[in-house]
């Protein structure tokens, strides 16, 4: 087994310096590769109002996010489709409060509506179904659990609602 001094001597003779896990070398590189800077394309939606919504990649490969009282589908080529929530006969001064969105095992997208205390489901075809939660619940977040159920914590009632999702 060689000691550390022997390895450091070999590295110095090869024109290499080791700093922690960073290796710097004076040896010529085979060929320099150009460094490509990432590019970003911005898409604006008037209902966002400068907010930063939750966003998820849907089972169809498009991006899905809440904007105002609608769910928006954005393709990678920039085509946006608005899916307004169905009217429910109620007035919400600050909107329904769509918070989070996630993909379920049923290949639909599930989202929260905090003001009316509901979770919603939208298919990739744009069909929306809403499910009321127990009174007093105001879900903000939603996630898919390991058991295939969606979970929605409620800070107002200090509890978690779980609903099995069809596969």
């Amino acid at each position: 087994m060689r000691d550390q001094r022997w390895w450091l001597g070999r590295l110095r003779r090869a024109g290499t310096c080791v700093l922690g896990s960073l290796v710097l070398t004076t040896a010529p590189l085979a060929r320099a590769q150009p460094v490509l800077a990432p590019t970003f394309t911005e898409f604006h939606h008037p209902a966002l109002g400068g907010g930063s919504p939750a966003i998820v990649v849907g089972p169809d490969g498009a991006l899905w996010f809440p904007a105002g009282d609608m769910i928006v589908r954005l393709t990678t080529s920039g085509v946006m489709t608005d899916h307004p929530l169905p009217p429910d006969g109620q007035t919400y001064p600050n909107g329904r409060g769509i918070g989070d969105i996630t993909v379920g095992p049923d290949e639909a997208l599930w989202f929260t509506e905090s003001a009316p205390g509901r979770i919603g489901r939208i298919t990739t075809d744009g069909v929306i179904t809403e499910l009321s939660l127990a009174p007093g619940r105001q879900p903000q977040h939603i996630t898919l659990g390991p058991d295939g159920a969606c979970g929605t914590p409620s800070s107002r009632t200090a509890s978690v609602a779980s609903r099995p999702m069809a596969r």
Side-chain angles (χ1 to χ4, degrees):
M1 177 126 181
R2 308 224 188 244
D3 69 0
Q4 184 178 11
R5 285 177 290 171
W6 184 87
W7 284 108
L8 287 174
R10 299 250 328 160
L11 290 172
R12 281 192 198 107
R13 284 191 292 280
T16 304
C17 175
V18 178
L19 301 171
S21 61
L22 176 66
V23 176
L24 305 173
T25 181
T26 57
L29 298 175
R31 184 172 66 166
Q33 298 294 322
V35 177
L36 301 176
T39 58
F40 297 93
T41 304
E42 292 185 23
F43 299 98
H44 299 279
H45 192 284
L48 287 177
S52 178
I55 191 166
V56 68
V57 176
D60 58 353
L63 301 173
W64 292 78
F65 59 92
D69 282 346
M70 65 183 83
I71 302 295
V72 179
R73 179 182 184 268
L74 172 64
T75 66
T76 54
S77 60
V79 176
M80 280 192 225
T81 306
D82 295 344
H83 299 283
L85 298 180
D88 66 355
Q90 301 294 317
T91 301
Y92 304 97
N94 297 318
R96 292 195 195 177
I98 301 175
D100 205 1
I101 188 167
T102 191
V103 177
D106 58 353
E107 304 252 325
L109 296 108
W110 292 75
F111 56 92
T112 59
E113 296 178 56
S114 65
R118 291 192 283 249
I119 58 172
R121 177 184 182 270
I122 183 170
T123 66
T124 54
D125 294 329
V127 178
I128 296 176
T129 308
E130 296 171 300
L131 306 164
S132 293
L133 298 174
R137 294 195 54 86
Q138 293 181 319
Q140 299 290 321
H141 306 286
I142 190 166
T143 191
L144 179 63
D147 60 353
C150 72
T152 57
S154 176
S155 58
R156 188 166 182 200
T157 61
S159 62
V160 174
S162 181
R163 181 183 194 294
M165 299 160 88
R167 290 189 186 268

